[in-house]
Amino acid sequence: MTERIYSLAALTVLELSPPEMVEVAARAGYSHVGLRLVPATPEEHHFPLVADAELRRQTLTRLRDTGVRVLDLEILRLKPETRVADFARILEVGAEFGGSELLIAGNDPDEARLTDNFAALCDLARDYAIRPHLEFMPWTDVRDLRQALRVVENAGRDNGCVLVDAFHFDRSGSSLADLPALLPGRIRYAQLCDVAGPRPDDMDEILRQARNERRFPGDGDCDLLGLLRALPADLPLSLEIPARQLMEQGVSALERAQLALDKARAVVARI
């Protein structure tokens, strides 16, 4: 049995530059990282890997020196005005880093157009050996697992995948009963975290929790064991666990990354 891949997601240590993130991942014991090539929001502090050749060089050097590899790339949004061809440079940079999985958000209420754009992105990404993963998030236009599955299947591309994030799975009310419809070829990695308490009624609060207040695996109320048992065995896990309160208390990025990995391994060991 091959050892499960654990990847450090950018959102867990968003204050770090990409070279610093690679160094922290190596020191904590991760084999992979995720690179945020495009910021998730206009307000987000961002290190411009696509535009900054020197930053790319430093990151590639750190990857080579540590042996850490890149798992996924984020985050592209499919919007009503999206021109998929405009993503080519981002995919080129992602391929330069060796990333094979690409995180996609659906921000278009026209599902037919969203599906067409996802198919076009899959076609473009194929040239770079990259697999787009449509991530369902309850505040976006792809709200839950069933809808994400429908879009990806209707797009009809063999490199099109669905991304399951434990937070969004819980907060979208998605069902474990729907996971068998997600064939192994449609999921190449998952995002793992935990979240405390019942699902809020207010979507703004769900969004705030998603970006600032997740819990380490096993420290919340998600059915992580049920979720992991329903997913393919040995699926790579990206640990995406923003914990603003800990950061504000002075818990370092390295300490947070190490806690995330230790607690994820403890949960996986229970399967």
Side-chain angles (χ1 to χ4, degrees):
M1 181 181 297
T2 58
E3 185 174 349
R4 187 187 289 264
I5 288 172
Y6 291 94
S7 180
L8 178 60
L11 191 57
T12 304
V13 289
L14 200 58
E15 74 270 29
L16 298 183
S17 70
E20 291 171 332
M21 180 186 175
V22 172
E23 183 65 31
V24 160
R27 291 176 62 190
Y30 291 81
S31 60
H32 289 68
V33 295
L35 294 181
R36 184 160 283 195
L37 301 183
V38 180
T41 68
E43 301 79 25
E44 179 181 289
H45 181 62
H46 180 62
F47 297 93
L49 269 173
V50 175
D52 190 333
E54 175 59 21
L55 186 60
R56 291 199 305 277
R57 187 195 66 78
Q58 292 173 9
T59 305
L60 285 165
T61 297
R62 200 65 60 89
L63 288 165
R64 183 193 65 225
D65 291 347
T66 61
V68 171
R69 300 172 63 186
V70 175
L71 176 66
D72 67 317
L73 312 159
E74 53 179 345
I75 171 176
L76 297 185
R77 296 187 180 276
L78 297 179
K79 303 177 182 179
E81 68 273 18
T82 290
R83 293 178 30 153
V84 168
D86 293 342
F87 292 146
R89 176 57 182 158
I90 297 166
L91 294 174
E92 181 182 355
V93 170
E96 181 183 352
F97 285 112
S100 59
E101 320 304 328
L102 175 65
L103 192 157
I104 307 297
N107 295 104
D108 187 344
D110 184 332
E111 188 172 307
R113 180 173 56 207
L114 174 65
T115 302
D116 288 344
N117 277 332
F118 185 77
L121 179 56
C122 288
D123 291 342
L124 180 64
R126 190 185 311 280
D127 294 337
Y128 301 93
I130 289 173
R131 292 177 286 258
H133 281 67
L134 184 60
E135 182 177 21
F136 58 93
M137 299 174 244
W139 60 86
T140 68
D141 294 301
V142 181
R143 296 175 182 82
D144 56 25
L145 174 60
R146 285 188 177 184
Q147 188 179 8
L149 278 168
R150 184 170 67 240
V151 170
V152 171
E153 290 299 333
N154 287 341
R157 299 300 191 269
D158 59 9
N159 63 332
C161 300
V162 173
L163 178 59
V164 174
D165 177 309
F167 181 96
H168 304 317
F169 191 88
D170 178 90
R171 287 329 197 206
S172 68
S174 292
S175 171
L176 291 174
D178 292 326
L179 279 171
L182 184 54
L183 301 175
R186 290 294 189 206
I187 182 167
R188 305 300 296 241
Y189 78 114
Q191 291 182 326
L192 192 68
C193 67
D194 214 328
V195 59
R199 185 165 63 251
D201 294 327
D202 180 38
M203 193 60 69
D204 287 340
E205 173 59 15
I206 291 176
L207 180 56
R208 186 195 69 79
Q209 291 177 353
R211 292 182 175 164
N212 299 287
E213 196 179 308
R214 303 192 195 191
R215 299 292 178 90
F216 297 115
D219 289 352
D221 300 300
C222 290
D223 181 12
L224 295 185
L225 293 180
L227 180 62
L228 289 168
R229 287 179 178 129
L231 293 173
D234 300 324
L235 190 71
L237 297 176
S238 170
L239 306 187
E240 186 178 69
I241 312 167
R244 179 174 293 275
Q245 186 175 10
L246 290 180
M247 187 171 67
E248 291 174 348
Q249 291 171 356
V251 179
S252 72
L254 176 58
E255 290 172 306
R256 299 190 325 266
Q258 187 69 69
L259 276 169
L261 183 57
D262 290 346
K263 288 181 175 288
R265 283 175 165 158
V267 168
V268 168
R270 294 170 58 195
I271 298 174

